[in-house]
Coordinates of all heavy atoms in Angstrom, one line a residue:
L2 N 36.7 -17.7 -43.9 CA 36.5 -16.3 -43.6 C 35.1 -16.1 -43.0 O 35.0 -15.4 -42.0 CB 36.7 -15.4 -44.8 CG 36.5 -13.9 -44.6 CD1 37.6 -13.3 -43.7 CD2 36.5 -13.2 -45.9
L3 N 34.1 -16.7 -43.6 CA 32.7 -16.5 -43.1 C 32.6 -17.2 -41.7 O 32.0 -16.6 -40.8 CB 31.8 -17.2 -44.1 CG 30.3 -17.1 -43.7 CD1 29.9 -15.6 -43.6 CD2 29.4 -17.8 -44.7
A4 N 33.2 -18.3 -41.5 CA 33.1 -19.0 -40.2 C 33.8 -18.1 -39.1 O 33.3 -18.1 -38.0 CB 33.8 -20.4 -40.3
A5 N 34.9 -17.4 -39.4 CA 35.5 -16.6 -38.4 C 34.7 -15.4 -38.1 O 34.6 -15.0 -36.9 CB 36.9 -16.1 -39.0
C6 N 33.9 -14.9 -39.0 CA 33.1 -13.7 -38.7 C 31.9 -14.1 -37.9 O 31.4 -13.4 -37.0 CB 32.6 -13.1 -40.0 SG 33.9 -12.2 -40.9
I7 N 31.3 -15.3 -38.2 CA 30.1 -15.7 -37.5 C 30.5 -16.2 -36.1 O 29.7 -15.9 -35.1 CB 29.4 -16.9 -38.2 CG1 28.9 -16.4 -39.6 CG2 28.3 -17.5 -37.4 CD1 28.3 -17.4 -40.5
G8 N 31.6 -16.8 -35.9 CA 31.9 -17.3 -34.6 C 32.2 -16.3 -33.6 O 31.8 -16.4 -32.4
G9 N 32.8 -15.1 -34.0 CA 33.2 -14.1 -33.0 C 32.2 -13.0 -33.0 O 32.4 -12.0 -32.2
S10 N 31.1 -13.0 -33.7 CA 30.2 -11.9 -33.8 C 29.1 -12.0 -32.7 O 28.5 -13.1 -32.6 CB 29.6 -11.8 -35.2 OG 28.6 -10.8 -35.2
S11 N 28.9 -11.0 -32.0 CA 27.8 -11.0 -31.1 C 27.0 -9.6 -31.2 O 26.4 -9.1 -30.2 CB 28.3 -11.1 -29.6 OG 29.1 -10.1 -29.3
A12 N 27.0 -9.0 -32.4 CA 26.4 -7.7 -32.6 C 24.9 -7.8 -32.4 O 24.3 -6.8 -32.0 CB 26.8 -7.2 -34.0
F13 N 24.3 -8.9 -32.7 CA 22.8 -8.9 -32.6 C 22.3 -9.7 -31.4 O 21.2 -10.0 -31.3 CB 22.2 -9.6 -33.9 CG 22.5 -8.7 -35.1 CD1 23.5 -9.1 -36.0 CD2 21.9 -7.5 -35.3 CE1 23.7 -8.3 -37.1 CE2 22.1 -6.7 -36.4 CZ 23.1 -7.1 -37.3
A14 N 23.2 -10.1 -30.6 CA 22.9 -10.8 -29.4 C 22.8 -9.8 -28.2 O 23.7 -9.0 -28.1 CB 23.9 -11.9 -29.1
P15 N 21.8 -10.0 -27.3 CA 21.7 -9.1 -26.1 C 22.9 -9.4 -25.2 O 23.3 -10.5 -25.1 CB 20.4 -9.5 -25.5 CG 20.0 -10.8 -26.0 CD 20.7 -10.9 -27.3
P16 N 23.3 -8.4 -24.5 CA 24.4 -8.7 -23.5 C 24.0 -9.6 -22.4 O 22.9 -9.4 -21.9 CB 24.8 -7.3 -23.0 CG 23.6 -6.5 -23.3 CD 22.9 -7.0 -24.4
M17 N 24.8 -10.6 -22.1 CA 24.5 -11.6 -21.1 C 25.4 -11.4 -19.9 O 26.6 -11.2 -20.1 CB 24.6 -13.0 -21.7 CG 23.8 -13.2 -22.9 SD 22.1 -13.6 -22.6 CE 22.2 -15.3 -22.1
T18 N 24.9 -11.4 -18.7 CA 25.7 -11.4 -17.6 C 25.4 -12.7 -16.8 O 24.2 -13.1 -16.7 CB 25.4 -10.2 -16.7 OG1 24.1 -10.2 -16.3 CG2 25.8 -8.9 -17.4
S19 N 26.3 -13.3 -16.3 CA 26.1 -14.5 -15.5 C 26.5 -14.3 -14.1 O 27.6 -13.7 -13.9 CB 26.8 -15.7 -16.1 OG 28.2 -15.6 -16.1
T20 N 25.7 -14.7 -13.2 CA 26.0 -14.6 -11.8 C 26.1 -16.0 -11.2 O 25.3 -16.9 -11.6 CB 25.0 -13.8 -11.0 OG1 23.7 -14.4 -11.2 CG2 25.0 -12.4 -11.5
S21 N 27.0 -16.2 -10.4 CA 27.1 -17.6 -9.9 C 27.3 -17.6 -8.4 O 28.1 -16.8 -7.9 CB 28.3 -18.3 -10.6 OG 29.2 -18.8 -9.7
T22 N 26.5 -18.4 -7.7 CA 26.6 -18.4 -6.2 C 27.8 -19.2 -5.9 O 28.6 -18.8 -5.0 CB 25.4 -19.0 -5.6 OG1 25.1 -20.3 -6.2 CG2 24.1 -18.1 -5.9
T23 N 28.0 -20.3 -6.5 CA 29.3 -21.1 -6.3 C 29.7 -21.4 -7.7 O 28.9 -21.7 -8.6 CB 29.1 -22.3 -5.5 OG1 28.2 -23.2 -6.1 CG2 28.7 -22.0 -4.1
A24 N 31.0 -21.3 -8.0 CA 31.5 -21.5 -9.3 C 31.2 -22.9 -9.9 O 31.0 -23.0 -11.1 CB 33.0 -21.3 -9.3
A25 N 31.1 -23.9 -9.1 CA 30.9 -25.2 -9.6 C 29.5 -25.7 -9.6 O 29.1 -26.6 -10.3 CB 31.8 -26.2 -8.8
T26 N 28.6 -25.2 -8.7 CA 27.3 -25.8 -8.5 C 26.2 -25.1 -9.4 O 25.5 -25.9 -10.1 CB 26.9 -25.7 -7.1 OG1 26.8 -24.3 -6.7 CG2 27.8 -26.4 -6.2
S27 N 26.0 -23.8 -9.4 CA 24.9 -23.3 -10.2 C 25.3 -22.0 -10.8 O 26.0 -21.2 -10.3 CB 23.7 -23.1 -9.3 OG 23.9 -22.1 -8.4
T28 N 24.7 -21.7 -12.0 CA 24.9 -20.5 -12.7 C 23.5 -20.0 -13.2 O 22.8 -20.8 -13.8 CB 25.9 -20.7 -13.9 OG1 27.0 -21.3 -13.4 CG2 26.2 -19.4 -14.5
S29 N 23.2 -18.7 -13.0 CA 22.0 -18.2 -13.6 C 22.4 -17.1 -14.6 O 23.3 -16.3 -14.4 CB 21.1 -17.6 -12.5 OG 21.7 -16.5 -11.9
T30 N 21.7 -17.1 -15.7 CA 21.9 -16.1 -16.7 C 20.8 -15.1 -16.8 O 19.6 -15.5 -16.7 CB 22.1 -16.8 -18.1 OG1 23.1 -17.8 -18.0 CG2 22.4 -15.8 -19.2
E31 N 21.1 -13.8 -16.8 CA 20.1 -12.8 -16.8 C 20.3 -11.8 -17.9 O 21.4 -11.3 -18.1 CB 20.1 -12.1 -15.4 CG 19.1 -10.9 -15.3 CD 19.3 -10.3 -13.9 OE1 19.8 -10.9 -13.0 OE2 18.9 -9.1 -13.9
L32 N 19.2 -11.5 -18.6 CA 19.4 -10.5 -19.7 C 19.3 -9.1 -19.1 O 18.5 -8.8 -18.3 CB 18.2 -10.7 -20.7 CG 18.3 -11.9 -21.6 CD1 17.0 -12.0 -22.4 CD2 19.5 -11.9 -22.5
Q33 N 20.2 -8.2 -19.6 CA 20.2 -6.8 -19.2 C 19.8 -6.0 -20.4 O 20.6 -5.4 -21.0 CB 21.6 -6.4 -18.7 CG 22.1 -7.2 -17.5 CD 21.3 -6.8 -16.3 OE1 20.8 -5.7 -16.1 NE2 21.0 -7.8 -15.4
M34 N 18.5 -6.0 -20.7 CA 18.0 -5.3 -21.9 C 17.8 -3.8 -21.6 O 18.0 -2.9 -22.4 CB 16.7 -5.9 -22.3 CG 16.8 -7.3 -22.7 SD 18.0 -7.5 -24.0 CE 16.9 -7.5 -25.4
G35 N 17.2 -3.4 -20.4 CA 17.1 -2.0 -20.0 C 15.8 -1.3 -20.3 O 15.6 -0.2 -19.8
L36 N 15.0 -1.9 -21.2 CA 13.8 -1.1 -21.5 C 12.8 -1.0 -20.4 O 12.4 0.1 -20.0 CB 13.1 -1.8 -22.7 CG 11.9 -1.1 -23.3 CD1 12.3 0.3 -23.8 CD2 11.3 -1.9 -24.4
F37 N 12.4 -2.1 -19.7 CA 11.5 -2.0 -18.6 C 12.2 -2.4 -17.3 O 11.5 -2.8 -16.3 CB 10.3 -2.9 -18.9 CG 9.4 -2.3 -20.0 CD1 9.4 -2.9 -21.2 CD2 8.7 -1.2 -19.8 CE1 8.6 -2.4 -22.2 CE2 7.9 -0.6 -20.8 CZ 7.9 -1.2 -22.0
D38 N 13.5 -2.4 -17.2 CA 14.1 -2.8 -16.0 C 13.8 -1.8 -14.9 O 13.8 -0.6 -15.1 CB 15.7 -2.8 -16.2 CG 16.2 -4.0 -17.0 OD1 15.3 -4.8 -17.4 OD2 17.3 -4.0 -17.4
N39 N 13.5 -2.3 -13.7 CA 13.2 -1.5 -12.6 C 12.0 -0.6 -12.8 O 11.9 0.5 -12.3 CB 14.3 -0.6 -12.1 CG 15.5 -1.5 -11.7 OD1 15.3 -2.5 -11.1 ND2 16.7 -1.0 -12.0
F40 N 11.0 -1.0 -13.6 CA 9.8 -0.2 -13.9 C 8.9 -0.2 -12.7 O 8.7 -1.3 -12.1 CB 9.0 -0.8 -15.1 CG 7.8 -0.1 -15.4 CD1 7.7 1.1 -16.0 CD2 6.6 -0.7 -15.0 CE1 6.6 1.8 -16.3 CE2 5.4 -0.1 -15.3 CZ 5.4 1.2 -15.9
R41 N 8.5 0.9 -12.3 CA 7.6 1.1 -11.2 C 6.4 1.9 -11.6 O 6.5 2.9 -12.3 CB 8.3 1.9 -10.0 CG 9.6 1.3 -9.6 CD 9.4 0.3 -8.4 NE 10.6 -0.1 -7.9 CZ 11.3 -1.1 -8.2 NH1 10.9 -1.9 -9.2 NH2 12.4 -1.5 -7.6
A42 N 5.2 1.4 -11.2 CA 4.0 2.1 -11.5 C 3.9 3.3 -10.6 O 4.5 3.4 -9.6 CB 2.8 1.2 -11.3
G43 N 3.1 4.3 -11.1 CA 3.1 5.6 -10.4 C 2.2 5.5 -9.1 O 1.9 6.6 -8.6
G44 N 1.6 4.4 -8.8 CA 0.8 4.4 -7.6 C -0.7 4.8 -8.0 O -1.0 4.8 -9.2
S45 N -1.4 5.2 -7.1 CA -2.8 5.6 -7.4 C -2.9 7.0 -8.0 O -3.8 7.2 -8.8 CB -3.7 5.6 -6.1 OG -3.2 6.6 -5.2
G46 N -2.0 7.9 -7.7 CA -2.0 9.2 -8.3 C -3.2 10.0 -7.9 O -3.7 10.8 -8.7
R47 N -3.8 9.8 -6.8 CA -5.0 10.4 -6.4 C -4.9 12.0 -6.4 O -5.8 12.7 -6.8 CB -5.5 10.0 -5.1 CG -6.0 8.5 -5.1 CD -6.9 8.2 -3.9 NE -7.2 6.8 -3.8 CZ -8.3 6.3 -4.5 NH1 -9.0 7.1 -5.2 NH2 -8.6 5.0 -4.4
D48 N -3.8 12.5 -5.9 CA -3.6 13.9 -5.9 C -3.6 14.5 -7.3 O -4.3 15.5 -7.5 CB -2.2 14.3 -5.3 CG -2.2 13.9 -3.8 OD1 -3.2 13.8 -3.2 OD2 -1.1 13.6 -3.3
D49 N -3.0 13.8 -8.2 CA -2.9 14.3 -9.6 C -4.4 14.2 -10.2 O -4.8 15.1 -10.9 CB -2.0 13.5 -10.4 CG -1.7 14.0 -11.8 OD1 -1.7 15.3 -11.9 OD2 -1.6 13.3 -12.7
L50 N -5.1 13.1 -9.9 CA -6.4 13.0 -10.4 C -7.3 14.1 -9.9 O -8.2 14.6 -10.6 CB -7.0 11.6 -10.0 CG -6.4 10.4 -10.7 CD1 -7.0 9.1 -10.2 CD2 -6.6 10.5 -12.2
D51 N -7.2 14.5 -8.6 CA -8.0 15.5 -8.0 C -7.8 16.8 -8.8 O -8.7 17.6 -9.1 CB -7.7 15.7 -6.5 CG -8.2 14.5 -5.7 OD1 -9.1 13.8 -6.2 OD2 -7.8 14.4 -4.6
E52 N -6.5 17.1 -9.1 CA -6.2 18.4 -9.8 C -6.8 18.3 -11.2 O -7.3 19.3 -11.7 CB -4.7 18.6 -9.8 CG -4.0 18.9 -8.5 CD -2.5 18.9 -8.5 OE1 -2.0 18.8 -9.7 OE2 -1.9 18.9 -7.5
Q53 N -6.6 17.2 -11.8 CA -7.2 17.1 -13.2 C -8.7 17.2 -13.2 O -9.3 17.8 -14.1 CB -6.8 15.8 -13.8 CG -5.3 15.7 -14.1 CD -4.9 14.3 -14.7 OE1 -5.8 13.5 -14.9 NE2 -3.6 14.1 -14.9
W54 N -9.4 16.6 -12.1 CA -10.8 16.7 -12.0 C -11.2 18.2 -11.9 O -12.2 18.6 -12.5 CB -11.3 15.8 -10.9 CG -12.8 15.8 -10.8 CD1 -13.6 15.0 -11.5 CD2 -13.6 16.6 -10.0 NE1 -14.9 15.3 -11.2 CE2 -15.0 16.2 -10.2 CE3 -13.4 17.6 -9.0 CZ2 -16.0 16.8 -9.5 CZ3 -14.4 18.2 -8.4 CH2 -15.7 17.8 -8.6
E55 N -10.6 18.9 -11.0 CA -10.9 20.3 -10.8 C -10.7 21.1 -12.1 O -11.5 22.0 -12.4 CB -10.0 20.9 -9.7 CG -10.4 20.4 -8.3 CD -9.5 20.8 -7.2 OE1 -8.6 21.7 -7.5 OE2 -9.6 20.4 -6.1
A56 N -9.6 20.9 -12.8 CA -9.4 21.6 -14.1 C -10.5 21.3 -15.1 O -11.0 22.2 -15.8 CB -8.0 21.2 -14.6
Q57 N -10.9 20.0 -15.1 CA -12.0 19.6 -16.0 C -13.3 20.3 -15.6 O -14.1 20.7 -16.5 CB -12.2 18.1 -16.0 CG -13.2 17.6 -17.0 CD -13.3 16.1 -17.0 OE1 -13.0 15.5 -16.0 NE2 -13.9 15.6 -18.0
Q58 N -13.6 20.4 -14.3 CA -14.8 21.1 -13.9 C -14.8 22.5 -14.3 O -15.8 23.1 -14.6 CB -15.0 20.9 -12.4 CG -15.2 19.5 -11.9 CD -16.4 18.8 -12.6 OE1 -17.5 19.4 -12.6 NE2 -16.2 17.7 -13.2
E59 N -13.6 23.2 -14.2 CA -13.5 24.6 -14.6 C -13.8 24.7 -16.1 O -14.5 25.7 -16.5 CB -12.1 25.1 -14.3 CG -11.8 25.3 -12.8 CD -10.4 25.7 -12.5 OE1 -9.7 26.0 -13.5 OE2 -10.0 25.7 -11.4
I60 N -13.3 23.8 -16.9 CA -13.6 23.9 -18.3 C -15.1 23.7 -18.6 O -15.7 24.4 -19.4 CB -12.8 22.8 -19.1 CG1 -11.3 23.1 -19.0 CG2 -13.3 22.6 -20.5 CD1 -10.4 22.0 -19.5
L61 N -15.7 22.7 -17.9 CA -17.2 22.5 -18.1 C -18.0 23.7 -17.6 O -19.0 24.1 -18.3 CB -17.6 21.2 -17.3 CG -17.1 19.9 -17.8 CD1 -17.4 18.8 -16.9 CD2 -17.6 19.7 -19.2
N62 N -17.6 24.3 -16.5 CA -18.3 25.5 -16.1 C -18.2 26.7 -17.1 O -19.2 27.4 -17.3 CB -17.7 26.0 -14.7 CG -18.2 25.1 -13.6 OD1 -19.2 24.4 -13.7 ND2 -17.4 25.0 -12.5
R63 N -17.0 26.9 -17.7 CA -16.8 27.9 -18.7 C -17.7 27.6 -19.9 O -18.3 28.5 -20.5 CB -15.4 28.0 -19.2 CG -14.5 28.8 -18.2 CD -13.2 29.2 -18.9 NE -12.4 28.1 -19.3 CZ -11.5 27.5 -18.6 NH1 -11.2 28.0 -17.4 NH2 -10.8 26.5 -19.1
R64 N -17.8 26.3 -20.3 CA -18.7 26.0 -21.4 C -20.1 26.3 -21.2 O -20.9 26.6 -22.1 CB -18.5 24.5 -21.8 CG -17.2 24.2 -22.4 CD -17.2 22.7 -22.7 NE -15.9 22.3 -23.3 CZ -15.5 21.1 -23.5 NH1 -16.3 20.1 -23.2 NH2 -14.3 20.8 -24.0
N65 N -20.6 26.2 -19.9 CA -22.0 26.3 -19.6 C -22.3 27.8 -19.3 O -23.5 28.1 -19.0 CB -22.4 25.4 -18.4 CG -22.3 24.0 -18.8 OD1 -22.6 23.6 -20.0 ND2 -22.0 23.1 -17.9
K66 N -21.4 28.7 -19.3 CA -21.7 30.1 -19.1 C -22.4 30.7 -20.2 O -22.4 30.2 -21.3 CB -20.4 30.9 -18.8 CG -19.8 30.5 -17.4 CD -18.6 31.4 -17.1 CE -18.1 31.1 -15.7 NZ -17.0 31.9 -15.3
P67 N -23.1 31.9 -20.0 CA -23.7 32.6 -21.1 C -22.8 33.0 -22.2 O -21.6 33.1 -22.0 CB -24.3 33.8 -20.4 CG -24.4 33.5 -19.0 CD -23.3 32.5 -18.7
K68 N -23.3 33.2 -23.4 CA -22.5 33.4 -24.6 C -21.6 34.7 -24.4 O -20.5 34.7 -24.8 CB -23.4 33.6 -25.8 CG -22.6 33.8 -27.1 CD -23.4 33.6 -28.3 CE -22.7 33.9 -29.6 NZ -21.3 33.7 -29.7
A69 N -22.1 35.7 -23.8 CA -21.4 36.9 -23.6 C -20.1 36.7 -22.8 O -19.0 37.2 -23.1 CB -22.3 38.0 -22.9
E70 N -20.3 35.9 -21.7 CA -19.1 35.6 -20.9 C -18.1 34.7 -21.6 O -16.9 34.9 -21.5 CB -19.5 34.9 -19.6 CG -20.3 35.8 -18.6 CD -20.6 35.1 -17.3 OE1 -19.8 34.3 -16.8 OE2 -21.7 35.4 -16.8
R71 N -18.6 33.8 -22.4 CA -17.7 32.9 -23.2 C -16.9 33.8 -24.2 O -15.7 33.6 -24.4 CB -18.4 31.8 -23.9 CG -18.9 30.7 -23.0 CD -19.5 29.6 -23.8 NE -20.5 30.0 -24.8 CZ -21.7 29.6 -24.9 NH1 -22.1 28.6 -24.2 NH2 -22.4 30.1 -25.9
D72 N -17.6 34.7 -24.9 CA -17.0 35.5 -25.8 C -15.9 36.4 -25.2 O -14.8 36.6 -25.8 CB -18.0 36.4 -26.6 CG -18.9 35.6 -27.5 OD1 -18.5 34.4 -27.9 OD2 -20.0 36.1 -27.9
A73 N -16.2 36.9 -24.0 CA -15.2 37.7 -23.3 C -14.0 36.9 -22.9 O -12.8 37.3 -23.0 CB -15.8 38.3 -22.0
Y74 N -14.2 35.7 -22.5 CA -13.1 34.8 -22.2 C -12.2 34.5 -23.4 O -11.0 34.6 -23.3 CB -13.6 33.4 -21.7 CG -12.6 32.4 -21.5 CD1 -11.7 32.4 -20.4 CD2 -12.5 31.3 -22.4 CE1 -10.8 31.4 -20.3 CE2 -11.5 30.3 -22.3 CZ -10.7 30.4 -21.2 OH -9.7 29.4 -21.0
F75 N -12.8 34.2 -24.5 CA -12.1 33.9 -25.8 C -11.4 35.2 -26.3 O -10.3 35.1 -26.8 CB -12.9 33.3 -26.8 CG -13.3 31.9 -26.6 CD1 -14.6 31.5 -26.3 CD2 -12.3 30.9 -26.4 CE1 -14.9 30.1 -26.1 CE2 -12.5 29.6 -26.1 CZ -13.8 29.2 -26.0
A76 N -12.0 36.4 -26.1 CA -11.3 37.6 -26.5 C -10.0 37.8 -25.7 O -9.0 38.2 -26.2 CB -12.3 38.8 -26.3
K77 N -10.1 37.5 -24.3 CA -8.9 37.6 -23.5 C -7.9 36.6 -23.9 O -6.7 37.0 -23.9 CB -9.4 37.4 -22.0 CG -8.3 37.7 -21.0 CD -8.8 37.7 -19.6 CE -9.4 36.4 -19.2 NZ -9.8 36.4 -17.7
I78 N -8.3 35.4 -24.3 CA -7.3 34.4 -24.8 C -6.6 34.9 -26.0 O -5.4 34.8 -26.2 CB -8.0 33.1 -25.1 CG1 -8.6 32.5 -23.8 CG2 -7.1 32.1 -25.7 CD1 -7.6 32.1 -22.8
E79 N -7.4 35.5 -27.0 CA -6.8 36.0 -28.2 C -5.8 37.1 -27.9 O -4.7 37.2 -28.6 CB -7.9 36.4 -29.2 CG -8.6 35.3 -29.9 CD -7.6 34.4 -30.7 OE1 -6.7 35.0 -31.4 OE2 -7.8 33.2 -30.6
E80 N -6.1 38.0 -27.0 CA -5.3 39.1 -26.6 C -3.9 38.5 -26.0 O -2.8 39.0 -26.4 CB -5.9 40.0 -25.6 CG -5.1 41.2 -25.2 CD -5.9 42.0 -24.2 OE1 -7.1 42.2 -24.3 OE2 -5.3 42.5 -23.3
R81 N -4.0 37.5 -25.2 CA -2.8 36.9 -24.6 C -2.0 36.2 -25.7 O -0.7 36.3 -25.7 CB -3.2 35.9 -23.6 CG -3.6 36.4 -22.3 CD -3.6 35.4 -21.1 NE -3.8 34.1 -21.5 CZ -4.6 33.2 -20.9 NH1 -5.4 33.6 -20.0 NH2 -4.6 31.9 -21.3
R82 N -2.6 35.6 -26.7 CA -1.9 35.0 -27.8 C -1.2 36.0 -28.6 O 0.0 35.8 -29.0 CB -2.8 34.2 -28.7 CG -3.3 32.9 -28.0 CD -4.3 32.2 -28.9 NE -4.7 30.9 -28.3 CZ -5.7 30.2 -28.7 NH1 -6.4 30.6 -29.8 NH2 -6.1 29.1 -28.1
E83 N -1.8 37.1 -28.9 CA -1.2 38.2 -29.7 C 0.0 38.8 -29.0 O 1.0 39.0 -29.6 CB -2.2 39.3 -30.0 CG -3.2 38.9 -31.1 CD -4.3 39.9 -31.3 OE1 -4.1 41.1 -30.8 OE2 -5.3 39.6 -31.9
T84 N -0.1 39.0 -27.7 CA 0.9 39.5 -26.9 C 2.1 38.6 -26.9 O 3.3 38.9 -27.0 CB 0.5 39.8 -25.4 OG1 -0.7 40.7 -25.5 CG2 1.6 40.4 -24.6
A85 N 1.8 37.3 -26.7 CA 2.9 36.3 -26.7 C 3.6 36.1 -28.0 O 4.8 35.9 -28.1 CB 2.3 34.9 -26.3
S86 N 2.8 36.3 -29.1 CA 3.5 36.1 -30.4 C 4.3 37.3 -30.8 O 5.2 37.2 -31.6 CB 2.4 35.9 -31.5 OG 1.6 37.0 -31.7
K87 N 4.1 38.5 -30.2 CA 4.9 39.7 -30.5 C 6.3 39.6 -29.8 O 7.2 40.3 -30.2 CB 4.2 40.9 -30.0 CG 3.0 41.3 -30.8 CD 2.3 42.5 -30.3 CE 1.1 42.8 -31.1 NZ 0.3 43.9 -30.6
K88 N 6.4 38.7 -28.8 CA 7.7 38.6 -28.0 C 8.7 37.9 -28.8 O 8.6 37.1 -29.6 CB 7.4 37.9 -26.7 CG 6.7 38.8 -25.7 CD 6.5 38.0 -24.4 CE 5.7 38.9 -23.5 NZ 5.5 38.3 -22.2

């Protein structure tokens, strides 16, 4: 009984596909796992980096403003949060 279960079980084996150019001469076996198949890097992403840099500069400028302006900014943020939480 144990030998019959072991011989026909492939539950823990990755699916294998075999491609053959000619049936008699050569056969190549390739794993089809799927995790990083056809993975492509996003390129340089310079446009995205420029937008992120500008957003970071805005944050830095807000931090360097006088205390009165920072307090006004945070008061406006709190007002928006209260309005959003009432919805």
